[in-house]
Amino acid sequence: MMPDSQLCPCGSQQSYAECCQSWHQGLPAPSAEKLMRSRYCAYVLGLIDYLVATTLPAQQAFLAREAMSQWSRDSQWLGLEVEQVVAGDARGQVTFIAYWADPDGSRHSHRECSDFVNKAGHWYFIDPNHPIKAGRNEPCPCGSGRKFKQCCCV
């Protein structure tokens, strides 16, 4: 972990204690943007359990934990830039650029527009690498009880 007084890696310009630490310790992030920032910070700190727990529950079993852990551990995290936030009560979108360097020193960036959903006061990342399969009129695999076509997974 990092000292509580050190600036949070998510780029908020707040200390870690004032920013992502409480979400990493179990409090739900209050918005899609805060969840996205806390997920970047979790990669920096190697908090793979947090990354899994904040992914849509219907997708968690498909995550490659060891690959996530290796990328987290082997990368030098260089920063996060949030470009755009589309906020809502039930859904959100955050466009961001993450910067890192590989062990050989080569620098990279990844630009993404991520989707998030709020279920019972908890925001979750919807992983585009693991599509959720269900028929339009079947119950949504996220457990909401709603039809797939009317839920977070469309």
Side-chain angles (χ1 to χ4, degrees):
M1 270 324 231
M2 64 188 316
D4 294 351
S5 61
Q6 188 173 345
L7 281 182
C8 192
C10 79
S12 68
Q13 300 304 307
Q14 295 178 308
S15 71
Y16 176 64
E18 296 171 321
C19 193
C20 294
Q21 184 178 39
S22 61
W23 304 315
H24 291 161
Q25 293 176 340
L27 289 178
S31 69
E33 179 183 2
K34 300 278 188 190
L35 179 62
M36 188 280 308
R37 286 182 177 278
S38 71
R39 286 176 57 85
Y40 173 85
C41 185
Y43 270 109
V44 173
L45 299 175
L47 303 175
I48 306 310
D49 289 342
Y50 180 80
L51 294 166
V52 172
T54 57
T55 300
L56 189 67
Q59 296 177 310
Q60 291 175 5
F62 303 107
L63 299 176
R65 292 178 70 100
E66 184 50 41
M68 293 165 68
S69 181
Q70 183 174 357
W71 189 43
S72 169
R73 184 177 54 249
D74 292 349
S75 298
Q76 177 187 2
W77 297 95
L78 303 174
L80 175 70
E81 179 183 335
V82 174
E83 291 184 330
Q84 182 179 14
V85 176
V86 178
D89 292 334
R91 294 185 66 99
Q93 254 185 0
V94 182
T95 303
F96 66 93
I97 305 173
Y99 300 92
W100 76 95
D102 287 338
D104 66 5
S106 59
R107 292 177 174 251
H108 305 276
S109 65
H110 174 74
R111 183 176 188 272
E112 181 175 317
C113 179
S114 292
D115 290 311
F116 298 86
V117 63
N118 185 345
K119 292 291 178 192
H122 291 268
W123 283 94
Y124 295 99
F125 167 64
I126 301 174
D127 190 332
N129 297 313
H130 302 287
I132 299 171
K133 295 180 173 48
R136 289 176 43 79
N137 290 317
E138 292 179 31
C140 186
C142 77
S144 69
R146 298 175 67 194
K147 290 182 181 181
F148 182 69
K149 69 180 178 185
Q150 298 172 332
C151 196
C152 62
C153 305
V154 254

